Amino acid sequence: MKLRRVVVTGLGALTPIGNTVPEYWNGLLNGVSGAAPITRFDASKFKTHFACEVKGYDPLNHFDRKEARKYDLFAQYAMVVAEEAVKDAGLDTFKLDPDRVGVIWGSGIGGLETFLKEISDFAKGDGTPRFSPFFIPKMIADIAAGHISIKYGFRGPNFTTTSACASAANALIDSLNYIRLGKADIFISGGSEAAVNEAGLGGFNALTALSVRNDDPKTASRPFDKDRDGFVLGEGAGALVFEELEHAKKRGAKIYAEVIGGGLSADAYHMTAPDPDGRGAKMVMKNTLEDANIKPEDVDHINTHGTSTPLGDIAEPKAIIALFGDYAMNISINSTKSMTGHLLGAAGAAEAIAAILAVKNDIVPPTINHFTDDPEIPVLDYTFHNARKRTVNVALSNTFGFGGHNACIAFRKFTQ
């Protein structure tokens, strides 16, 4: 069967460097670091004292007090960015068939804040079970997709993908394929995460996954730098409106880019570490190129997973070299996690937005915080220090998750 074409018609973002898409994009282009000492709780007894928190967020600017109590922070974030994306796409003013609009959302953890509070309160009590009736509905990872559909009355396919840090990218790829196959005309898709709390920080510290550069948080996220010592915990959300091309054209929608393919693979190697030779990463990019029906030399930009971890930052460049060969030096590669930190299950959405805007505007955001070359990391064009103007016809966005889950999605400049 002939697959239908899919385009991006709306965007929404809530990140540590900007609470709307224009603010986020401006922060990326200006190389702003979102890392700072944690304000939400006392982190002084933890190994890491800082994170990339969303700043200036007040739930009462978006929900009334009674409504806000029903949502975990990750679900609040989801609804905020979904609203921005729906408005940006003009869906709020256009008569839609609600049976043809779906929601596929990603979250690696879900309502961790709710889980932490309810269990902590129980542990401090006398053993009498006193749990909130909202405990389970607030905690479960699928609830964000449910709330978005309830708010707008969208009755199309609705579910959540959970694949650690690849969760949001998996949601986007599923949305792409459902539209391609004619199962729906529009999807609100993306991901959200809110794990900057004692459990999130303590858990990742116990894994020795986080940077402990407490003396200089702003430069702690150092992708591809010799002195990188772990990722910086982040939070936030990103939402994208994927729409069938003819449907979008019929209603006169603005189009950011075309979604031309997605790929999935597994490392099948280790619970938390990547395959050291990047075999799964190479395969997921190869699968994406094949799905998009493009050649390696068609790719201009890759927004890498680039977490600032000792092993991951070696494996991914190895994979790029293995797949693209000598052409790899022509690709502008970056890691926006150098600015936002790691948004976990929301990373794939936030980084897809960055890749789309790079295609739309012919500008590649920088990788900041590079000080010392690492001889173990292959030489590539990492777009260090400053944003770069260049033609970006095709961009890839990579996300890799604990458990060896790999996802990659491809965007192309829209032409008729």
Side-chain angles (χ1 to χ4, degrees):
M1 66 179 293
K2 184 178 180 180
L3 297 178
R4 305 196 307 167
R5 292 171 68 184
V6 179
V7 292
V8 183
T9 57
L11 301 173
L14 180 62
T15 77
I17 61 170
N19 292 8
T20 63
V21 170
E23 290 176 5
Y24 171 48
W25 182 237
N26 186 63
L28 290 176
L29 295 185
N30 286 286
V32 174
S33 171
I38 290 170
T39 63
R40 202 164 292 155
F41 60 93
D42 180 6
S44 61
K45 293 183 179 180
F46 291 80
K47 295 176 185 176
T48 299
H49 303 161
F50 60 93
C52 285
E53 295 176 304
V54 169
K55 298 161 186 68
Y57 174 76
D58 183 349
L60 298 184
N61 290 335
H62 306 278
F63 313 96
D64 64 44
R65 194 175 301 276
K66 184 178 179 181
E67 186 183 15
R69 288 200 299 266
K70 298 178 182 179
Y71 306 136
D72 184 89
L73 194 56
F74 97 100
Q76 292 183 23
Y77 288 172
M79 295 186 71
V80 169
V81 295
E83 181 176 24
E84 183 183 5
V86 165
K87 288 181 177 177
D88 185 44
L91 301 182
D92 54 335
T93 60
F94 191 84
K95 185 173 176 57
L96 301 170
D97 178 354
D99 295 345
R100 300 287 297 171
V101 185
V103 182
I104 305 178
W105 204 253
S107 186
I109 301 175
L112 186 60
E113 182 74 29
T114 295
F115 187 84
L116 174 63
K117 181 182 184 304
E118 291 290 331
I119 297 303
S120 295
D121 288 349
F122 177 70
K124 292 173 186 174
D126 60 5
T128 303
R130 297 185 182 92
F131 290 93
S132 167
F134 296 112
F135 176 24
I136 301 301
K138 287 175 69 174
M139 178 195 71
I140 51 179
D142 69 291
I143 202 66
H147 282 312
I148 293 167
S149 70
I150 291 166
K151 177 176 179 178
Y152 295 103
F154 297 150
R155 295 194 294 263
N158 185 287
F159 59 90
T160 288
T161 55
T162 297
S163 48
C165 307
S167 297
N170 273 201
L172 296 176
I173 293 167
D174 279 356
S175 299
L176 165 66
N177 287 330
Y178 271 77
I179 296 175
R180 278 171 154 181
L181 295 171
K183 306 297 184 182
D185 297 322
I186 298 174
F187 272 96
I188 314 303
S189 190
S192 57
E193 206 80 90
V196 181
N197 52 49
E198 294 91 337
L201 186 68
F204 283 114
N205 265 161
L207 281 172
T208 65
L210 298 181
S211 171
V212 292
R213 203 177 295 278
N214 295 313
D215 59 334
D216 192 8
K218 287 193 177 300
T219 70
S221 184
R222 301 184 178 194
F224 312 115
D225 187 88
K226 184 176 184 295
D227 297 318
R228 65 195 181 280
D229 71 329
F231 72 81
V232 177
L233 184 61
E235 63 170 356
L240 299 87
V241 176
F242 281 9
E243 188 166 356
E244 192 271 327
L245 174 59
E246 295 306 317
H247 189 280
K249 289 167 69 173
K250 189 177 295 184
R251 68 181 189 88
K254 72 172 180 292
I255 294 173
Y256 284 98
E258 184 171 1
V259 195
I260 57 173
L264 303 171
S265 76
D267 277 5
Y269 176 75
H270 187 271
M271 184 167 60
T272 57
D275 181 299
D277 294 319
R279 284 177 291 190
K282 176 187 175 183
M283 183 181 293
V284 79
M285 290 185 286
K286 180 175 182 289
N287 292 344
T288 302
L289 298 185
E290 291 175 355
D291 189 55
N293 195 27
I294 59 175
K295 300 174 182 177
E297 56 267 30
D298 292 327
V299 176
D300 303 300
H301 166 48
I302 301 174
N303 188 310
T304 67
H305 188 56
T307 53
S308 183
T309 52
L311 298 178
D313 285 12
I314 297 174
E316 189 172 8
K318 281 184 177 180
I320 292 169
I321 296 275
L323 179 61
F324 291 94
D326 292 341
Y327 179 75
M329 286 301 300
N330 297 305
I331 302 172
S332 294
I333 291 159
N334 71 351
S335 171
T336 48
K337 289 186 182 74
S338 61
M339 295 170 274
T340 65
H342 194 345
L343 272 59
L344 307 177
E351 291 160 20
I353 291 170
I356 289 163
L357 292 176
V359 168
K360 178 71 173 174
N361 297 297
D362 286 324
I363 305 175
V364 177
T367 304
I368 67 168
N369 297 333
H370 182 75
F371 303 97
T372 308
D373 290 340
D374 185 341
E376 292 191 58
I377 295 178
V379 175
L380 292 168
D381 176 9
Y382 294 101
T383 321
F384 287 134
H385 309 305
N386 299 300
R388 183 174 313 144
K389 292 185 178 180
R390 63 157 293 172
T391 300
V392 184
N393 288 315
V394 174
L396 305 184
S397 182
N398 285 344
T399 49
F400 314 140
F402 283 176
H405 311 295
N406 304 312
C408 175
I409 190 162
F411 303 98
R412 181 167 59 200
K413 198 179 295 293
F414 175 68
T415 56
Q416 298 296 325

